[in-house]
Amino acid sequence: MEEFIIPIDDAIKGFFEHLKVNKRTILSSRFGDGKSFFLKSFKQDKCVREKFTFLTIYPVNYQVTSNQDIFALIKRDILFQLLINGMIDEEFEVPKDIVLWFYLQSKGESLISDLIHFLSAVAIPELEKVKVLVGMKTLELFKKLKSDFNELKNKSNQGEIVDKFIGIVNTSTIYEDDIITFIIKKSIEIYRKKEGKEVVLIVEDMDRIDPAHLFRILNIFSAHIDYSYKDFIKPDNSLAGNKFNLDNIVLVCDYLNVEKIFKHFYGVDTDFHGYIGKFLSS
């Protein structure tokens, strides 16, 4: 008997038009209703592929221990996705102040060592893990970073390194702009200009993770709105951009289930719609 699939062309067209004007979206339906099937079909559409490039992460796979920050896992997972999709350009370098700052923070552990440590934590499939490792070995960016770190390790005078950092520090580096964040943001910026496509982050299975991590992730991706308040500016769509310079963020979950989790976690009288409204762009 021939398999019958309900046509979803109109839904794909509608979601395509939605993403063009909405920077943050929750794609919601109940478990088993076909969210993943829809997204797979959506990403294969010709018009969609010409307009968007997709990065997909699965926080449900994170092997999070009590002393690991979910934000660190997200940042490294997005960087791994950039490596897997060949989206890191050879042309840019990480500024010296950010390299020095990461070195001082990491107690001399190189970025490559740090990334290898996190590879298993984000549960990347073996074939894609090879792409990550090859990228870190062959890309000029990582070769240069390795050389810089080895040079710093050979310097015994920590005070000299601190003085050098203070002398060249970029005062615009604010709000979690560490070496990982810089590489992500700069890579997306270069890719967007080079390919003429918008970069969309899809965060799958949001309502299948631990409640504390669920709301931590929501807080991370809505944090740019709070930054406007710190500068005494009322946020709007032009000011409150997305984390990591992403064009769009799509959270995949059952909205009603997330609301139940929120009220169970924070109390039945808490304002879920006010909270979730900060994430949504419309």
Side-chain angles (χ1 to χ4, degrees), residues 215-252:
F215 299 117
R216 170 70 170 137
I217 291 171
L218 280 170
N219 292 341
I220 287 167
F221 287 121
S222 65
H224 270 42
I225 299 171
D226 293 330
Y227 293 164
S228 299
Y229 288 120
K230 291 175 184 177
D231 294 329
F232 303 101
I233 300 170
K234 185 176 179 181
D236 59 29
N237 283 344
S238 64
L239 292 171
N242 281 326
K243 202 77 169 176
F244 306 119
N245 207 19
L246 292 156
D247 294 291
N248 302 75
I249 298 172
V250 179
L251 300 185
V252 184

Side-chain angles (χ1 to χ4, degrees), residues 106-275:
S106 65
K107 297 182 175 61
E109 181 182 271
S110 75
L111 175 62
I112 293 174
S113 298
D114 173 80
L115 292 174
I116 290 173
H117 170 74
F118 276 88
L119 262 178
S120 60
V122 297
I124 291 178
E126 289 302 319
L127 287 176
E128 294 189 340
K129 194 177 291 184
V130 170
K131 293 180 183 178
V132 172
L133 293 171
V134 169
M136 287 193 290
K137 183 178 180 180
T138 59
L139 281 172
E140 194 62 35
L141 165 68
F142 290 96
K143 290 181 182 178
K144 180 69 165 56
L145 287 173
K146 184 178 180 181
S147 173
D148 288 342
F149 275 95
N150 287 336
E151 181 184 341
L152 290 169
K153 274 187 177 180
N154 293 330
K155 288 186 177 180
S156 57
N157 190 339
Q158 192 83 346
E160 181 186 337
I161 296 173
V162 173
D163 289 341
K164 188 175 181 182
F165 168 72
I166 293 171
I168 63 172
V169 66
N170 178 358
T171 55
S172 66
T173 301
I174 57 170
Y175 302 133
E176 305 147 349
D177 266 8
D178 63 5
I179 193 168
I180 306 289
T181 305
F182 179 85
I183 293 173
I184 292 171
K185 290 170 69 175
K186 193 67 176 178
S187 295
I188 290 173
E189 178 187 330
I190 293 172
Y191 180 84
R192 185 187 297 116
K193 289 179 180 177
K194 188 176 179 181
E195 301 294 331
K197 297 166 74 173
E198 296 184 7
V199 181
V200 182
L201 176 69
I202 296 177
V203 188
E204 280 274 14
D205 299 326
M206 285 289 291
D207 50 355
R208 291 178 55 202
I209 62 179
D210 179 90
H213 297 324
L214 166 62
F215 299 117
R216 170 70 170 137
I217 291 171
L218 280 170
N219 292 341
I220 287 167
F221 287 121
S222 65
H224 270 42
I225 299 171
D226 293 330
Y227 293 164
S228 299
Y229 288 120
K230 291 175 184 177
D231 294 329
F232 303 101
I233 300 170
K234 185 176 179 181
D236 59 29
N237 283 344
S238 64
L239 292 171
N242 281 326
K243 202 77 169 176
F244 306 119
N245 207 19
L246 292 156
D247 294 291
N248 302 75
I249 298 172
V250 179
L251 300 185
V252 184
C253 63
D254 179 347
Y255 181 90
L256 295 177
N257 196 35
V258 172
E259 181 176 6
K260 291 174 185 175
I261 295 170
F262 182 87
K263 290 186 176 296
H264 177 77
F265 198 68
Y266 291 109
V268 294
D269 295 326
T270 53
D271 181 11
F272 172 73
H273 298 287
Y275 172 84

Side-chain angles (χ1 to χ4, degrees), residues 18-37:
H18 172 87
L19 279 189
K20 284 162 63 175
V21 294
N22 290 280
K23 299 303 181 185
R24 292 179 295 279
T25 297
I26 292 178
L27 179 63
S28 170
S29 71
R30 294 175 300 176
F31 179 76
D33 276 358
K35 295 186 292 293
S36 296
F37 173 79

